[in-house]
Amino acid sequence: MSLPAYESGAWAALFLGLLFGIALEGAGFASPRKLTAQFLLRDFAVLKVMFTAVVTAAVGLWLCESLGVIAAKSYFIHTPYYWAMLIGGLLIGAGFAIGGYCPGTSAVGLSAGRLDAAAFIAGMVVGVWVFAGGYSWIAPLYTAAQGPSAQTVYELLGVPAWLIVLVMVVVVAIVYRVAATVEPRFGGQLTAKDIAEGTAEASGHEPGGAARAHHV
Amino acid sequence: MHSEPRPYWHPIFAGVLLGLALLLTILVTGHGLGASGAVTRLAAAIGAWLAPAATAANAYLGGYVKAGDPLVGWITWEVLGMLVGGLLGALWSGRFRAGTVERGPRIGRGRRLALAFGGGILVGFGARLARGCTSGLGLSGGAALGVGGFVFLIGFLVAGFIAMQFVRKEWT
């Protein structure tokens, strides 16, 4: 069997999505307070998990290509549209801080029982309509500053791919080191227990309750 | 009283597992994991139901309607898998909370829901403009060492920190 297999069936999609959902929920990313604590500098889980995942997959792809398991760039790589991707990233960053989720995490937020995730998803549907409604005005920005097809960072910089992967590994190590000193100053990491207790209190499931009396 | 939830996974464990799932996805399908594409299909499907003529005539969403049922696509199955995976993980770990509105200690349910909706509008629009979201462009594009993925991530992180300065009270 040659790889990538270019398998586009529903069962593989369901299975791969299942793994994705389990990993996001396991990381704590069904909780908008856990997620947004990244931008409060309180809990670097978002950067840690995301960068660790990017490096894991990048190292795996580099190994597969070096061993001849797959051909270089035999899988989908976005063609850069510099302005659209930068401004789109800015909007998603702002919407994440305000709304508490990104599209993938809102899916696991919803399946973990959050109504605010449902409101966020309804908002995203409206956002798509706004984009589609204004598409004729937005199109020039959407297609502006197009880079070379499927352009990679190592092609842009003219260096070997392994050097970029190595730099990314170093960046991940720096993120963990910085987090270890910064997180405690801003309140520290949020545990599953913190989130559950905060949620119970805020939702009025446990008005007063044993936990609060305990502090008195 | 809710039973005590199991702790979240260590970020290294969660990150490596997520990275392996992404690597497997690329080897099996030839592309990465995504999420916002399913929202586009949902928006096309609801649009086709509420305003069929306008949706079919729309320059961006029209193609989804003409190709048949706008919901049918790889990304829809993948996101359905995510919903099941998130549910199983939350149930197994005691982290499932039916019908809660998660929010900071100083904000009411209605205001939190309104802000979630408003943030969702920005994200829905931004994901269409960027041609992907944190999953499809940031995570998958970054793993493929694509320039677009890194341009996106810079924007995402900068705007997240700046916007948080204005909505700090929502979360703390």
Side-chain angles (χ1 to χ4, degrees):
Chain A
M1 189 176 76
S2 71
L3 292 173
Y6 304 111
E7 163 62 51
S8 58
W11 286 110
L14 273 168
F15 174 73
L16 294 163
L18 187 88
L19 295 182
F20 190 23
I22 290 173
L24 288 178
E25 199 286 327
F29 293 176
S31 161
R33 279 189 302 141
K34 178 85 174 168
L35 290 163
T36 53
Q38 174 62 62
F39 293 130
L40 295 166
L41 302 179
R42 171 172 190 178
D43 189 328
F44 278 57
V46 167
L47 277 184
K48 287 176 185 170
V49 172
M50 186 178 210
F51 285 14
T52 304
V54 165
V55 162
T56 302
V59 169
L61 285 173
W62 177 78
L63 275 174
C64 286
E65 288 172 27
S66 302
L67 298 171
V69 177
I70 59 171
K73 300 181 74 176
S74 57
Y75 43 87
F76 176 74
I77 302 171
H78 286 84
T79 295
Y81 291 83
Y82 283 85
W83 284 114
M85 287 177 176
L86 181 67
I87 296 169
L90 290 167
L91 289 170
I92 294 180
F96 180 96
I98 297 165
Y101 299 100
C102 61
T105 51
S106 71
V108 291
L110 177 69
S111 57
R114 266 87 171 168
L115 288 181
D116 46 312
F120 184 88
I121 292 165
M124 284 197 296
V125 169
V126 172
V128 173
W129 287 339
V130 173
F131 181 85
Y135 184 68
S136 50
W137 294 285
I138 300 161
L141 174 63
Y142 187 62
T143 52
Q146 180 182 352
S149 177
Q151 188 185 29
T152 62
V153 178
Y154 56 86
E155 288 166 336
L156 177 70
L157 301 178
V159 298
W162 62 261
L163 185 64
I164 300 299
V165 176
L166 187 68
V167 169
M168 285 162 60
V169 172
V170 172
V171 168
V172 171
I174 292 171
V175 165
Y176 279 85
R177 284 294 290 274
V178 169
T181 55
V182 172
E183 283 171 341
R185 283 190 223 167
F186 292 91
Q189 295 176 7
L190 286 163
T191 65
K193 205 171 164 227
D194 294 334
I195 297 297
E197 282 169 359
T199 303
E201 214 165 296
S203 317
H205 283 320
E206 297 185 39
R212 207 173 288 172
H214 189 74
H215 291 296
V216 182
Chain B
M1 175 112 194
H2 293 294
S3 60
E4 186 122 315
R6 285 175 199 258
Y8 295 134
W9 299 344
H10 191 282
I12 293 181
F13 180 76
V16 168
L17 200 91
L18 183 54
L20 292 176
L22 176 57
L23 178 63
L24 182 66
T25 303
I26 294 172
L27 294 179
V28 169
T29 68
H31 58 76
L33 292 161
S36 66
V39 179
T40 310
R41 290 181 172 279
L42 182 62
I46 300 174
W49 178 57
L50 292 176
T55 307
N58 183 265
Y60 190 77
L61 291 178
Y64 288 93
V65 181
K66 280 173 205 128
D69 187 341
L71 281 175
V72 174
W74 189 89
I75 195 76
T76 307
W77 296 111
E78 187 242 49
V79 169
L80 284 175
M82 287 179 79
L83 289 167
V84 175
L87 178 66
L88 291 178
L91 287 174
W92 179 80
S93 61
R95 295 192 288 258
F96 182 79
R97 296 289 182 273
T100 121
V101 176
E102 188 174 329
R103 61 193 198 271
R106 291 193 274 175
I107 182 177
R109 284 166 67 95
R111 197 167 158 74
R112 166 71 188 118
L113 288 172
L115 285 167
F117 185 76
I121 294 176
L122 291 180
V123 172
F125 185 97
R128 273 6 302 147
L129 182 60
R131 296 170 171 79
C133 60
T134 337
S135 309
L137 186 51
L139 185 73
S140 304
L145 308 184
V147 173
F150 289 97
V151 170
F152 171 88
L153 282 176
I154 291 166
F156 172 76
L157 295 174
V158 168
F161 279 111
I162 294 172
M164 183 52 88
Q165 307 315 312
F166 297 95
V167 293
R168 198 168 270 278
K169 280 186 185 165
E170 185 187 350
W171 302 109
T172 57

